Amino acid sequence: MESRCPESDIKERLYQQFARIGKCLSSDKRLEIMDLLSNGPKSVESLATQTGMSVANVSRHLQILLEAKLVRFQKKVLSLYIILVIYL
């Protein structure tokens, strides 16, 4: 049995995160959603209207962005808003 060093685990997680981000950036629609979110939180319905996509399609794109930790969800009263996560 091979023992793995902590450094290789860190590198593997880092590479996985790069792959998730790469997947996000490979879609023009996800880039459009990220651009809209860069101006502030938006609801799924608002993003659907502004992009001309269905709510279901926007939701799927947001799920991919969430998996890559590029967005997060914030609940306000009875609405759910999406926020772009910016790492500095």
Side-chain angles (χ1 to χ4, degrees):
M1 178 153 68
E2 226 177 275
S3 66
R4 295 180 56 119
C5 69
E7 286 181 17
S8 65
D9 288 340
I10 291 170
K11 282 184 178 182
E12 185 175 331
R13 288 196 312 262
L14 181 63
Y15 297 149
Q16 288 170 350
Q17 181 62 11
F18 285 158
R20 284 190 291 268
I21 291 171
K23 180 178 179 180
C24 290
L25 299 178
S26 69
S27 166
D28 59 329
K29 290 299 183 181
R30 286 191 285 275
L31 289 171
E32 181 180 6
I33 289 170
M34 290 173 62
D35 181 46
L36 291 169
L37 291 173
S38 70
N39 295 313
K42 305 265 187 293
S43 67
V44 176
E45 294 79 10
S46 172
L47 289 169
T49 300
Q50 292 180 7
T51 60
M53 291 189 288
S54 69
V55 169
N57 282 344
V58 169
S59 293
R60 180 63 190 131
H61 285 296
L62 288 172
Q63 186 63 39
I64 293 167
L65 291 169
L66 180 65
E67 289 168 6
K69 298 178 174 72
L70 294 176
V71 297
R72 64 182 171 91
F73 294 91
Q74 181 180 49
K75 192 166 186 155
K76 287 188 178 180
V77 189
L78 298 175
S79 298
L80 185 65
Y81 288 87
I82 298 90
I83 298 170
L84 183 65
V85 176
I86 300 172
Y87 296 97
L88 299 177

